[in-house]
Amino acid sequence: MAATTGATTQTEEHVSLKLLLNEKGNKVLFAEAGKDFVDILCSFLTMPLGTIARLVEKESSIGPVTLGCLNSLYQSVADLDGSCFYNDAVKQMLLKPSNFAEDYCNTLKLNIDDTPPTMYWACSYNSTCGLYSGLTVSTNNRCRCGYSLTGPVFPKHYCQGFVNGVATFVITDDLIVMPSCIDYSSFGLLLEFGIKNTSLLKERVLNVTKQKVLDLLKCSLLSNATLTNLFLGKKPSIEVSRFLSPDVELNGSLQIILKLVIRKSDGKVLCAQGEQDFANLLLSFLTLPLGGATRIFGKNCSMGSINELYKSMTELNENKYFISKDPKNRLVDPWPCISPHLKLCKEILPILQPGLTDYYYENGYGVQYFKAGEDTSFFGTLKKLNVSNLRNIDSYMKGPALYVVTDDLVVAPLSPISALGLLNQFKTPLNDLKEKVITIGVKESISILKAGLTSTSALTNGLAHLLNEVKEEK
């Protein structure tokens, strides 16, 4: 079978990928790849939803894409005045949320995440006490010795991607990643795809560039034929999916009071009014990694090929195909779920709890964080830091204040005049409107998140089980 090379300049950074095509069906059957490409796929699962929202809006050969209400939620945060936020840093932290697995992603050969690496600050006067008790992510604090924490500390690159560098992998059109081994031989795969005549098959060797990786991310979120869409020039179409409830039951004490404005004629939630806690809940969605969301939704995840990618990672042998046990845990059971620096002091959702985190350093200023009690021997000789200034945020938004949220998750401050303008925007007669006060908990919050990623009516779909009596009145 002949091989062709993708049109890429010799100097442009790239990773290699070999495709097997069914020429008759104009479809990619599967691909063969090594560590560099599979690490890129792994990194998609670690990206916070706020990062996803920013990246899919970027220009590429596919063009900007829309993922449910995620784009409008992200844009509303960008449009909010800085005075609405708890402090000056919070808005930028939400628009460019740090990746809880940045230590594994910062050595990727092609990394499309343009979020700046987390910066730590130590004592600007006394380096001895600075590393032991003055470490912080904000320059607004002071060390115990009284001097300001303005000495920059950069995370050390201990990790080299996710998967084993010797292994090779088979990747299906819908991004199922399998090891190249006896269990997944090419003959077995061909039989599985119903291929009887190998003369209809063709190999193609491609050099995947950074720009192509951005298109890969977009296709993976929209289509279950990711490789065909990406490499055979078929622009992915958004698959219309039926809204399904989350697959995982989560318990928690969360209770948020909302006032819904509902259009009686069709049962649509036009907007919801709530306090600071409701705004914090919605903004916290931007900090949640894609893999964390997929884990919650399970088989009911309907974001393109992401569910198959996630599921295949859960099935890869951690001892054979990952560089250690921790990277697999970060992908399929993310213990921080969000970066510790984005965590609120008061719990919002159980899925957003990073748990206890230990900080280590090596040779001075190489900082790294791990799950408390995790084996760090793989990373060499590390010394534990006794830090006291890594404080969590009290709130994303200022309070007490009222906020209004539209069905597509646009968040804005609420006032009588702004509420009137919003009602005029809906162009709905007052006698067709009904207000309803509800209390939502963890179940409803997760349902809003799910609806927000799979539809443009997050409140109507996410709270549908609370709206039946309103529809009966129409």
Side-chain angles (χ1 to χ4, degrees), residues 179-442:
S180 293
C181 61
I182 275 185
D183 293 335
Y184 302 107
S185 66
S186 58
F187 301 111
L189 286 172
L190 293 178
L191 291 174
E192 185 177 324
F193 285 114
I195 302 299
K196 299 179 180 179
N197 185 357
T198 57
S199 65
L200 295 177
L201 303 180
K202 179 182 178 182
E203 283 185 24
R204 181 182 297 175
V205 179
L206 297 173
N207 292 330
V208 180
T209 63
K210 196 171 184 178
Q211 185 69 17
K212 210 67 175 175
V213 172
L214 178 58
D215 287 334
L216 174 63
L217 173 64
K218 294 178 181 181
C219 287
S220 69
L221 293 163
L222 298 179
S223 171
N224 57 14
T226 297
L227 300 183
T228 295
N229 290 150
L230 180 65
F231 296 113
L232 299 186
K234 295 184 176 182
K235 186 174 181 179
S237 57
I238 299 176
E239 297 166 355
V240 178
S241 59
R242 182 168 55 92
F243 176 74
L244 298 170
S245 299
D247 193 41
V248 177
E249 280 292 332
L250 294 169
N251 298 315
S253 58
L254 179 71
Q255 286 192 322
I256 297 176
I257 299 174
L258 301 179
K259 179 186 285 187
L260 305 181
V261 178
I262 308 164
R263 189 162 56 204
K264 292 188 289 185
S265 55
D266 60 4
K268 178 180 175 63
V269 177
L270 300 182
C271 65
Q273 301 170 10
E275 296 184 355
Q276 177 185 11
D277 53 357
F278 184 48
N280 281 336
L281 168 69
L282 298 180
L283 269 54
S284 71
F285 293 167
L286 297 177
T287 71
L288 179 65
L290 182 61
T294 308
R295 175 173 176 257
I296 298 163
F297 303 142
K299 64 183 179 181
N300 287 341
C301 177
S302 54
M303 290 184 288
S305 302
I306 296 301
N307 188 55
E308 297 301 331
L309 173 61
Y310 173 85
K311 183 181 177 184
S312 66
M313 289 299 157
T314 67
E315 296 173 353
L316 273 183
N317 187 307
E318 63 189 34
N319 296 313
K320 285 185 177 181
Y321 302 111
F322 289 93
I323 61 172
S324 70
K325 292 182 179 180
D326 183 54
K328 179 174 179 176
N329 291 336
R330 300 275 188 111
L331 295 174
V332 304
D333 187 19
W335 55 265
C337 216
I338 60 170
S339 172
H341 323 308
L342 291 170
K343 177 182 178 288
L344 295 181
C345 293
K346 184 178 180 181
E347 174 183 317
I348 300 181
L349 294 174
I351 57 171
L352 298 177
Q353 296 311 300
L356 297 176
T357 306
D358 289 336
Y359 289 77
Y360 294 81
Y361 79 100
E362 179 187 41
N363 296 330
Y365 287 166
V367 177
Q368 186 80 13
Y369 64 82
F370 297 92
K371 179 181 179 180
E374 184 179 10
D375 181 13
T376 63
S377 58
F378 176 82
F379 302 96
T381 303
L382 301 177
K383 296 181 180 180
K384 187 175 179 180
L385 292 172
N386 180 24
V387 297
S388 59
N389 287 298
L390 286 163
R391 301 188 181 99
N392 299 127
I393 308 168
D394 291 329
S395 173
Y396 297 133
M397 307 297 285
K398 284 183 179 177
L402 291 176
Y403 297 89
V404 61
V405 179
T406 59
D407 200 17
D408 59 351
L409 299 189
V410 173
V411 181
L414 177 64
S415 69
I417 293 178
S418 65
L420 180 61
L422 195 60
L423 290 176
N424 290 334
Q425 179 183 325
F426 294 140
K427 297 180 181 179
T428 301
L430 288 177
N431 60 6
D432 192 23
L433 298 178
K434 178 182 175 65
E435 292 185 338
K436 179 180 175 68
V437 176
I438 63 169
T439 300
I440 65 171
V442 172

Side-chain angles (χ1 to χ4, degrees), residues 60-228:
S60 65
S61 60
I62 292 177
V65 301
T66 300
L67 188 64
C69 303
L70 185 62
N71 304 61
S72 53
L73 172 61
Y74 182 88
Q75 187 58 49
S76 71
V77 173
D79 292 340
L80 280 171
D81 189 271
S83 62
C84 296
F85 296 92
Y86 184 75
N87 60 38
D88 295 337
V90 168
K91 181 174 181 177
Q92 289 307 311
M93 290 173 68
L94 291 170
L95 293 177
K96 290 194 172 184
S98 54
N99 188 326
F100 75 102
E102 67 178 334
D103 46 340
Y104 286 95
C105 297
N106 54 25
T107 55
L108 292 177
K109 192 168 184 180
L110 300 176
N111 189 0
I112 59 173
D113 186 356
D114 57 0
T115 305
T118 303
M119 277 290 295
Y120 300 89
W121 304 93
C123 182
S124 58
Y125 176 75
N126 188 334
S127 60
T128 302
C129 68
L131 263 181
Y132 286 97
S133 64
L135 193 67
T136 181
V137 292
S138 170
T139 56
N140 295 327
N141 296 317
R142 288 188 173 275
C143 180
R144 63 180 178 181
C145 69
Y147 284 87
S148 60
L149 297 170
T150 55
V153 180
F154 291 92
K156 186 177 178 62
H157 295 181
Y158 290 107
C159 310
Q160 299 294 321
F162 296 88
V163 297
N164 194 315
V166 179
T168 57
F169 300 87
V170 171
I171 303 149
T172 63
D173 199 12
D174 56 353
L175 299 189
I176 296 174
V177 178
M178 301 174 285
S180 293
C181 61
I182 275 185
D183 293 335
Y184 302 107
S185 66
S186 58
F187 301 111
L189 286 172
L190 293 178
L191 291 174
E192 185 177 324
F193 285 114
I195 302 299
K196 299 179 180 179
N197 185 357
T198 57
S199 65
L200 295 177
L201 303 180
K202 179 182 178 182
E203 283 185 24
R204 181 182 297 175
V205 179
L206 297 173
N207 292 330
V208 180
T209 63
K210 196 171 184 178
Q211 185 69 17
K212 210 67 175 175
V213 172
L214 178 58
D215 287 334
L216 174 63
L217 173 64
K218 294 178 181 181
C219 287
S220 69
L221 293 163
L222 298 179
S223 171
N224 57 14
T226 297
L227 300 183
T228 295

